[in-house]
Amino acid sequence: MMLSLLVPKARAGAGLASRLARTAPALWQAAQWSQLAQQQKRTLSTDLRSVVAEKIPAQQERLKEIKKTHGNKVIGDVTVNMCIGGMRGINGMLWETSLLDPEDGIRFRGYTIPECQAALPSAIPGGEPLPEGMLWLLMTGEMPTQEQVAQVSLDLRKRSALPPHVAQVLAAMPADTHPMTQFTQAVLALQTNSEFAAAYKSGIHKSEYWKPYFEDSMDLIAKLPAIASLIYRRTYHGGNLIEAHPELDWAANLSHMMGFDSEGALELMRLYQTIHSDHEGGNVSAHTTHLVGSALSDPYLSFAAGMTGLAGPLHGLANQEVLLWINNVKNELGADPTKEDLTDFVWDTLKNGKVVPGYGHAVLRLTDPRYTCQREFALKHLPDDETFKLVSLLYEVVPEVLKQTGKVKNPWPNVDAHSGALLQHYGIKEANFYTVLFGVSRCLGVLSQGVWDRALGLPIERPKSVTMGVLEDLCKQ
């Protein structure tokens, strides 16, 4: 205990360190070893919950200091356009797990997508990152080791079995019910086993909220591949289910239980689930999950609410819209159109008052790195695929057309412009199901942030609304 207090911190300066080393070398060496042991313990621990627990006190103090020192600091202005334009550009919520940079794209705990691809453990040498590694990163802020990721995979497998009543709930619904409706209902059905709801009812202290919230979140994350594959098989394959593989990782098991076992399909699912995992807190699904969670609704209720937002055409259905549009291109121009014909088709789309789906983004001002890494995957695994070639030609055509309109801030492709083409290549052709895959991945980010919302004691969200009359009066002042 005394040794740890004597280890010089960086802020104490080199003077204290050098004096201690000169005057008490044995004590200094012991202190060094103590500090190294603590660092190794943190680094080598494979228990995700204990690593999160270790980090919470420092982050609680950090937030207290920000509030105490800078609580009244102005961090932005709000214009009328922001108020009536979907609150875009308003700095209005705390979200630790990721941050969207206009130039670099999404940063997961500070790391770009290329950095995550290089540093996160993979299932095969040189392969795509394992989503379990992304979960560790989002929860802790640290890049995990292979052993830590393996332990997360094992933990999720142990938690993955569905209670029988979930299948019964789905069986009571028509088989042609939209997959996202089934997905949300299945998540709600799991709520009967919520540890957080039970703990809150029993009077748990608010400082302990994060613990049952963590357990619920891990349970829900673990069960989502089974839910998604159950929905897929009952909707498109007559209810002929495939059992989970006892050794596959989280994303690969999702692909396997859906019926796709090729190495390329498994790798694609790992990539897909990793890059869709989080996109800061302002998008509809993330914000909704956070908002409902701020009322101390448990992770099942909060996530289900977020998924109803993800099901909207302007959010999670975007990749489906892209694929439908590409199929229209094929129907009109054939699978291998000329650049000139494709340019005319894009102009006709715009002149008819429609948008080109998959292009543009509210924040990004360059090509979405999630698009880029999917393009690299395609170049590596399916360079001659017919749809991929068309997607590549669109990449040459659409931005130039959008620039010429003079009305688009960001003419570059986003993640949705590519994902459908990859899924189709590996046989996942049911576009209505794509948003479910998106929803499975999004759990990693929003539930990790939910754990931290409870650990940091963030309050219920309650922004102020105004009427048009109030806006008119304010503008007269």
Side-chain angles (χ1 to χ4, degrees), residues 213-229:
Y213 208 95
F214 175 91
E215 295 301 326
D216 277 357
S217 296
M218 293 296 287
D219 282 346
L220 178 53
I221 291 168
K223 290 173 171 58
L224 288 181
I227 287 176
S229 60

Side-chain angles (χ1 to χ4, degrees), residues 248-397:
L248 283 176
D249 52 87
W250 183 75
N253 239 328
L254 169 57
S255 183
H256 162 72
M257 288 188 290
M258 288 174 61
F260 304 98
D261 283 309
S262 71
E263 191 60 53
L266 302 186
E267 277 289 273
L268 173 61
M269 194 62 74
R270 291 167 183 138
L271 174 65
Y272 186 99
Q273 296 298 324
T274 297
I275 65 174
H276 286 82
S277 60
D278 204 30
H279 217 231
E280 71 173 30
N283 64 77
V284 170
S285 56
H287 188 191
T288 303
T289 305
H290 169 82
L291 170 64
V292 175
S294 77
L296 297 186
S297 298
D298 59 66
Y300 301 100
L301 297 176
S302 304
F303 184 69
M307 291 304 94
T308 63
L310 190 70
L314 296 183
H315 189 18
L317 291 191
N319 59 356
Q320 178 179 326
E321 297 289 323
V322 169
L323 201 55
L324 292 173
W325 189 81
I326 288 177
N327 287 336
N328 287 336
V329 173
K330 288 182 178 180
N331 291 335
E332 292 286 332
L333 305 178
D336 188 25
T338 66
K339 190 172 183 179
E340 292 73 22
D341 287 343
L342 192 55
T343 300
D344 291 339
F345 187 89
V346 172
W347 274 115
D348 288 341
T349 298
L350 298 176
K351 290 175 181 177
N352 287 326
K354 300 177 183 179
V355 299
V356 179
Y359 281 77
H361 193 276
V363 178
L364 290 171
R365 293 298 173 261
L366 293 174
T367 298
D368 190 337
R370 298 173 300 172
Y371 174 95
T372 303
C373 71
Q374 289 183 104
R375 177 173 171 78
E376 291 170 352
F377 181 95
L379 288 169
K380 178 179 179 181
H381 295 281
L382 48 132
D384 298 322
D385 179 85
E386 179 183 277
T387 304
F388 169 57
K389 290 182 176 180
L390 181 53
V391 168
S392 296
L393 187 58
L394 285 167
Y395 188 27
E396 298 178 27
V397 169

Side-chain angles (χ1 to χ4, degrees), residues 15-32:
L16 176 60
S18 60
R19 286 197 301 274
L20 185 59
R22 288 196 309 272
T23 59
L27 188 59
W28 164 251
Q29 186 177 37
Q32 289 281 74

Side-chain angles (χ1 to χ4, degrees), residues 397-413:
V397 169
V398 176
E400 294 305 314
V401 172
L402 293 179
K403 287 178 188 177
Q404 292 176 37
T405 67
K407 300 177 182 179
V408 180
K409 293 182 179 179
N410 173 24
W412 304 107

